[in-house]
Amino acid sequence: METPVETTRERLLNVAEQRFGEGGYEGTSLRAITVAAAANIAAVNYHFGSKEALLRAAVARAMAPVNAERRRRLDQLEAGAPPTPEALIRAFVEPGLELVLRRGERGAVIARFIGRIAFDPSRRIRELYAIESEPIESRYLAALQQALPQASPDAVAFGYMNMLGLLALHQSQALSPTPGAAGNEDPGKLAENLVTFLVAAFDHGLGS
């Protein structure tokens, strides 16, 4: 069976993921991307319009599967009895880990890319990431605040931000060759360990 031919748009997105993940947005020139993608600036302008628009398209593509799965799981939880904190944490964490741990070598590229952009020093770049992630993330935060009425909204938000950071750390270490690192664990086991830790952190850290 023949492998489908990669389009210019796909090549630009693939290279953008890799180069932005390695060098960040400001540290990566558009020329470096076009050369590696065997394209030119005109192709970027045609398919995306600008370097910033290319970044946003790459973030949208990378986050689409995990956002869709998180949305599906949250919709399912909210259709039944009020969800527990553990159920909400699991529904958020598992898709994020599966994004990188079940996609082979490409998963590691996506992990570096998303981790770099989500915590970029530039507020504008972080805002571009938030455009894709904030709608579903804000729903999870609201659901956790409802599931933890004994804690203040600010306290739950603090725990939530720490959950995002810890998840990003495990994503960035995914498929690491270092012995004992996250990438060498069974994906299901890693998710279970992380969920268990986070549930305990919310439970004890928020005084429930």
Side-chain angles (χ1 to χ4, degrees):
M1 182 177 180
E2 294 185 1
T3 302
V5 177
E6 194 177 47
T7 66
T8 300
R9 187 178 192 279
E10 289 170 337
R11 289 201 310 275
L12 286 167
L13 287 170
N14 290 339
V15 172
E17 282 179 349
Q18 182 178 8
R19 294 302 176 94
F20 286 144
E22 292 171 352
Y25 181 78
E26 293 298 336
T28 303
S29 70
L30 196 54
R31 176 172 173 74
I33 292 174
T34 56
V35 169
N40 52 42
I41 301 297
V44 174
N45 292 332
Y46 174 77
H47 290 288
F48 306 102
S50 66
K51 177 184 174 183
E52 185 177 287
L54 170 60
L55 171 67
R56 183 173 176 182
V59 171
R61 187 181 69 162
M63 290 301 297
V66 67
N67 284 340
E69 179 61 12
R70 283 173 174 165
R71 187 176 297 107
R72 184 193 69 80
R73 293 192 185 198
L74 184 56
D75 288 344
Q76 188 175 54
L77 286 172
E78 292 182 336
T84 64
E86 179 178 354
L88 291 167
I89 291 170
R90 185 179 301 280
F92 187 87
V93 166
E94 288 181 344
L97 290 177
E98 289 172 357
L99 170 70
V100 295
L101 292 175
R102 299 191 187 279
R103 297 185 66 173
E105 184 177 338
R106 177 162 161 71
V109 173
I110 294 174
R112 283 193 299 270
F113 169 60
I114 292 300
R116 191 70 179 257
I117 297 305
F119 297 99
D120 193 275
S122 167
R123 179 178 178 180
R124 174 57 181 165
I125 301 308
R126 295 196 304 273
E127 287 174 348
L128 290 177
Y129 169 77
I131 289 172
E132 301 302 327
S133 62
E134 197 277 334
I136 188 61
E137 288 185 1
S138 63
R139 282 187 60 193
Y140 270 92
L141 174 57
L144 277 169
Q145 288 171 334
Q146 290 181 353
L148 293 162
Q150 74 284 358
S152 70
D154 286 346
V156 177
F158 177 78
Y160 182 76
M161 291 302 298
N162 280 275
M163 178 175 73
L164 293 179
L166 187 57
L167 178 57
L169 175 64
H170 281 282
Q171 288 174 324
S172 67
Q173 291 179 342
L175 307 173
S176 168
T178 304
N184 294 299
E185 290 191 45
D186 172 77
K189 180 181 178 182
L190 175 57
E192 193 63 38
N193 289 343
L194 186 54
V195 168
T196 299
F197 177 84
L198 287 168
V199 168
F202 271 92
D203 185 29
H204 298 292
L206 300 181
S208 57

